[in-house]
Amino acid sequence: MKIHRIDHAGIVVNDLSAAKAFFLDFGLEVHGEWESLDRIVGLNGAKTACVGLGTPDGQTWIELIQYISPSDERGIQLPFANTPGIRHLAFIVEAIEAIVAKLKNKGMEIFSEIQHYEKSYKLCCCHWPEGMIIELGERIR
């Protein structure tokens, strides 16, 4: 028995179109769009719309999922960085300063300035529109 890799991460969103637009603008590409069946997600009568987005090299992708039904009445709840569960997606990027400036111009909440980590990375974090933390990292050469 052997695990080869993590295939993808699923992210539930309230506004699939806005989330898709954010990640397309960020530089990911659409790998597919589909509807999911309730037997797969374990909710009776669930109807979802899904978009798979990945890096241009096809190595990593995420699945954005919007529940058409049933809906979650609690809405978006912004977690703290120390809230248990998956809290962020981390991307290795080029030209982190330009990406951070672009995100700021689009009104994104950048809650950490670009920091240097052990002379090997520049790191910065922001909240994307539905609250998840996006971590940006650029290798220092």
Side-chain angles (χ1 to χ4, degrees):
M1 190 164 97
K2 179 179 176 183
I3 296 175
H4 294 279
R5 64 183 167 86
I6 293 174
D7 185 65
H8 68 278
I11 303 168
V12 176
V13 299
N14 284 319
D15 186 338
L16 187 61
S17 295
K20 176 183 170 184
F22 170 80
F23 282 109
L24 287 174
D25 188 49
F26 189 66
L28 297 184
E29 299 173 348
V30 173
H31 287 209
E33 298 187 49
W34 63 94
E35 292 184 3
S36 187
L37 305 172
D38 65 341
R39 293 187 335 220
I40 295 171
V41 299
L43 293 172
N44 290 329
K47 181 176 180 184
T48 62
C50 306
V51 176
L53 296 150
T55 55
D57 65 6
Q59 294 295 311
T60 305
W61 68 288
I62 58 174
E63 181 178 286
L64 301 177
I65 307 155
Q66 180 179 0
Y67 277 81
I68 310 304
S69 65
S71 64
D72 183 354
E73 288 83 33
R74 296 175 297 166
I76 298 172
Q77 299 175 12
L78 295 179
F80 293 104
N82 63 347
T83 302
I86 297 174
R87 289 297 133 237
H88 72 279
L89 293 176
F91 293 90
I92 300 299
V93 300
E94 293 179 12
I96 193 170
E97 290 86 358
I99 292 171
V100 168
K102 178 181 175 180
L103 293 173
K104 282 182 180 179
N105 285 339
K106 292 186 171 283
M108 299 299 296
E109 177 193 357
I110 309 295
F111 61 87
S112 74
E113 294 302 317
I114 297 171
Q115 305 288 316
H116 289 266
Y117 175 74
E118 295 184 356
K119 299 181 182 179
S120 58
Y121 283 94
K122 293 187 232 178
L123 300 171
C124 183
C125 290
C126 67
H127 278 120
W128 72 294
E130 294 207 20
M132 181 174 275
I133 296 169
I134 300 291
E135 177 185 318
L136 305 174
E138 180 178 5
R139 289 191 175 110
I140 299 172
R141 305 201 193 280

